[in-house]
Amino acid sequence: MTGAMERGFDALEGRPYADVLVVGGGINGLATFRDLAMQGVDVALVERDDFISGASAASSHMIHGGIRYLENGEFRLVAEAVTERNALLRIAPHYVRPLQTTIPIFSTFSGVLSAPLKFLRHGGGTHTERGAALIKIGLVIYDSFSRSGGRVPRHAFRGRKRSLQELPELNPGIKYTATYWDASLHDPERLAIDVLRDGRKAGGDKARAANYTAAVGVEEGRVVLRDMVSGRDVAFAASVVINASGPWTDLTNLALGDPTRYMGGTKGSHIVLDHPDLLAATGGRELFFENADGRIVLIYPLKGRVLVGTTDLEHDMGDAVVCTEAEVDYFIDLISQVLPKIPVDRSQIVYRFAGVRPLPGHGDVAPGFVSRDYRVEAAPLVGGDATVLSLVGGKWTTFRASAEHLADRALDLLARPRRRSTKGLAIGGGSGFPTTERTRQQWISTHADGLPADRVATLLDRYGTVATDVIAAIADDAEDEMLVHVPGYSTAELRLLTQSEDVVHLDDLLMRRTSIAFIGGATEQAAAEIAAAVAPVLGWDASRIAAETARGLTAVHAADPSWAGASAAKR
């Protein structure tokens, strides 16, 4: 055990069996854990690293129906994704909000004739720009999926003059813009923590989860779990094992003695810029457009910064996942294509991140045409009676639906009925979240507990209605003080996150329990200040504080090959 806190592994070691063992603590694994806990199933979840630290931590921060999937013919997925998007706007309004999206268009009829051929060839052949007519067809179809329970307006087309009035920094060579609505995901990692919290609350002692715990083998029909902090092993029994390891699904199955070849993920990178002119040029909306190579890319205002992404490159899971200098050049070039009057350079980048999409193996199919849908594969656990269910694919937008499918498969194997549906069920701090200015001000005044109204408002935005716990912790802590190097955070707030949200290392706080790294706030001084603030909770001494500061900075910059990590962290 590390520090003075009991960890999730201790509960698994103390009772090494459950009806279902979920391997993988990304959003799909956590949502499956939540669903099963709500059915009264004895369920355990393990994650090799920190919760939500893999593919789920490298998203484009959107909840979307996937308009471009129409080009792949994935109509079932688009229908499900739009339904789930609309639902998340209702059940997670603290983190999922409507997002106005504009497509700059430079031609009228381009792509109309070639699009059917591209569909038949799965992306093969010469790239042809998508023109206004093709985009119009796609948006009409896309709108049709929102007719039932729609939560966002329909699309609108604008000519050049009107488009440049609305967004004057756009390339004057545009002919049209098309504007539609999807949804933004402001804090994906925090939404995932809410999902985990819901599962634990629903299941009590029958819902256990442990981060920094890996499935490393099989012993007499039991899965061997290893605490990655202490090195301790335990043989864990389960009737059903759910492999929700994302792009690592084949590696997890290999560790369980079954060498599958399900996965073929592609790498996607992003950069975050602190660039006020670029931020203003977006007009508060996402710019979603086609780059010269045919790749759909985005420029997206978020948290006072601008997110730019993403690439779609073949990736070997044995290689480091980084945002290369070539990818940065690609991003800077694409900005200049759409907003040519806004100069951008590397000095404005405050954060880079990259991840591997959990896509199925796809042979010669072009990355952009690989199915974004998901499926479930079943196989017996080597040497035992358990069944292994492997999730192949899966997206942030459809996490509730894919979790429901996995949970139903597990319930069938256990011969147990479903008690309740997760449809329409509020997630975490989305329960009771005020969605109008009047109810927002009422909530703030009712829950202030002696804190200034602006600070309570910040906490409400940061945590949803779960902010009541943070407000109480701050009010009860006589030693609480605002941090010097991390504006807007206080010592009591970070200590509560550390104590109640399975924090093991400093990077858990910098990158996943807060947005400090994303906005470029994880400086050396900030990291050291945060480490010192939470040290009493975790039992860190001076040498451990220094080591965690170095580790945290290295993790924050792991996707940036230009960062001198080791030397910078030691200064």
Side-chain angles (χ1 to χ4, degrees):
M1 185 168 67
T2 184
M5 292 173 56
E6 181 174 302
R7 294 186 44 246
F9 182 83
D10 301 314
L12 301 181
E13 189 178 46
R15 182 167 66 84
Y17 56 88
D19 292 330
V20 179
L21 172 65
V22 180
V23 180
I27 187 57
N28 291 298
L30 292 173
T32 305
F33 170 82
R34 173 181 183 256
D35 195 319
L36 288 169
M38 290 180 174
Q39 313 315 318
V41 172
D42 188 349
V43 58
L45 178 144
V46 295
E47 163 56 45
R48 173 182 290 271
D49 297 302
D50 188 23
F51 299 124
I52 215 73
S53 62
S56 298
S59 77
S60 294
H61 290 62
M62 291 193 302
I63 296 293
H64 63 97
I67 182 173
R68 69 186 184 87
Y69 305 154
L70 294 173
E71 195 171 17
N72 296 11
E74 296 190 270
F75 299 108
R76 189 214 70 81
L77 177 61
V78 174
E80 180 178 77
V82 168
T83 299
E84 293 300 312
R85 178 202 68 191
N86 293 341
L88 283 166
L89 287 164
R90 292 189 294 268
I91 67 178
H94 54 325
Y95 296 136
V96 181
R97 298 166 192 169
L99 175 65
Q100 188 178 22
T101 302
T102 291
I103 306 172
I105 307 170
F106 293 88
S107 68
T108 303
F109 296 108
S110 180
V112 172
L113 296 178
S114 62
L117 295 176
K118 286 175 66 179
F119 168 70
L120 292 172
R121 295 170 181 167
H122 300 286
T126 304
H127 165 64
T128 304
E129 181 183 1
R130 299 167 179 91
L134 185 61
I135 291 170
K136 177 69 174 179
I137 293 168
L139 286 171
V140 168
I141 297 172
Y142 196 59
D143 281 346
S144 72
F145 287 110
S146 288
R147 286 178 180 169
S148 177
R151 300 284 295 179
V152 297
R154 292 176 177 270
H155 79 274
F157 256 75
R158 300 282 186 261
R160 178 179 180 275
K161 182 178 179 180
R162 177 75 178 274
S163 297
L164 292 175
Q165 287 175 344
E166 293 183 357
L167 296 168
E169 302 300 332
L170 281 180
N171 187 329
I174 63 166
K175 290 191 174 183
Y176 314 91
T177 58
T179 296
Y180 67 102
W181 291 78
D182 259 325
S184 62
L185 176 56
H186 285 232
D187 288 279
E189 292 85 0
R190 289 230 50 90
L191 180 56
I193 293 297
D194 271 5
V195 170
L196 172 61
R197 182 188 293 109
D198 283 355
R200 284 172 161 166
K201 183 177 179 181
D205 292 341
K206 294 172 69 176
R208 295 166 291 159
N211 56 352
Y212 295 100
T213 301
V216 297
V218 178
E219 181 181 290
E220 296 181 352
R222 298 185 173 205
V223 178
V224 178
L225 304 179
R226 177 167 298 161
D227 180 4
M228 303 302 286
V229 176
S230 69
R232 304 197 314 271
D233 287 352
V234 61
F236 196 91
S239 298
V240 180
V241 177
I242 294 178
N243 181 355
S245 303
W248 295 272
T249 294
D250 289 332
L251 296 178
T252 295
N253 282 336
L254 181 62
L256 299 180
D258 183 12
T260 58
R261 296 178 63 85
Y262 297 143
M263 308 305 296
T266 62
K267 186 184 75 166
S269 295
H270 300 77
I271 57 174
V272 181
L273 300 107
D274 186 357
H275 195 318
D277 290 342
L278 181 62
L279 182 65
T282 66
R285 61 181 82 180
E286 176 193 35
L287 301 178
F288 186 73
F289 59 97
E290 178 182 17
N291 198 19
D293 61 0
R295 172 66 191 162
I296 302 299
V297 291
L298 57 92
I299 301 172
Y300 176 12
L302 188 65
K303 297 183 179 294
R305 305 291 186 264
V306 181
L307 175 65
V308 182
T310 173
T311 50
D312 200 354
L313 304 171
E314 299 288 357
H315 183 75
D316 185 334
M317 291 306 296
D319 296 337
V321 185
V322 300
C323 176
T324 65
E325 295 307 312
E327 288 174 293
V328 172
D329 290 337
Y330 177 86
F331 293 139
I332 292 175
D333 177 68
L334 70 86
I335 295 170
S336 70
Q337 292 179 41
V338 177
L339 301 165
K341 292 181 284 186
I342 307 294
V344 175
D345 61 56
R346 279 171 165 75
S347 68
Q348 293 145 338
I349 300 173
V350 295
Y351 188 52
R352 303 189 198 189
F353 62 96
V356 181
R357 300 174 182 87
L359 303 181
H362 51 272
D364 295 330
V365 175
F369 274 74
V370 180
S371 173
R372 264 52 176 180
D373 212 339
Y374 59 87
R375 69 180 194 269
V376 179
E377 298 281 355
L381 179 67
V382 174
D385 297 326
T387 298
V388 178
L389 300 176
S390 296
L391 177 65
V392 181
K395 292 167 45 62
W396 257 103
T397 301
T398 56
F399 73 81
R400 191 214 61 82
S402 59
E404 184 176 66
H405 291 157
L406 275 169
D408 283 341
R409 291 285 295 272
L411 289 169
D412 286 345
L413 290 167
L414 296 171
R416 296 183 58 164
R418 172 173 284 276
R419 289 184 178 179
R420 63 189 302 190
S421 173
T422 56
K423 289 181 180 178
L425 190 63
I427 297 174
S431 178
F433 184 77
T435 55
T436 67
E437 186 58 30
R438 182 181 63 82
T439 56
R440 175 183 170 83
Q441 293 304 321
Q442 288 177 341
W443 195 98
I444 291 170
S445 62
T446 301
H447 296 88
D449 202 7
L451 297 182
D454 60 346
R455 190 172 183 198
V456 176
T458 296
L459 295 173
L460 177 62
D461 289 339
R462 195 174 283 165
Y463 304 106
T465 54
V466 174
T468 54
D469 296 337
V470 183
I471 292 166
I474 293 171
D476 291 344
D477 190 336
E479 298 181 357
D480 178 55
E481 56 185 6
M482 300 303 294
L483 298 183
V484 174
H485 299 290
V486 192
Y489 283 89
S490 74
T491 56
E493 177 182 355
L494 294 176
R495 283 193 286 265
L496 176 66
L497 298 183
T498 301
Q499 189 169 38
S500 63
E501 295 185 354
D502 303 272
V503 169
V504 175
H505 293 294
L506 181 62
D507 45 289
D508 301 341
L509 274 174
L510 296 175
M511 301 173 69
R512 292 173 288 278
R513 306 305 183 275
T514 72
S515 300
I516 293 170
F518 182 89
I519 65 171
T523 64
E524 184 176 350
Q525 295 86 353
E529 185 178 24
I530 293 170
V534 302
V537 179
L538 293 167
W540 292 348
D541 58 16
S543 63
R544 181 66 184 273
I545 290 173
E548 287 291 337
T549 300
R551 174 195 161 102
L553 290 169
T554 300
V556 166
H557 295 282
D560 182 358
S562 69
W563 187 71
S567 60
K570 291 177 181 177
R571 283 202 302 269

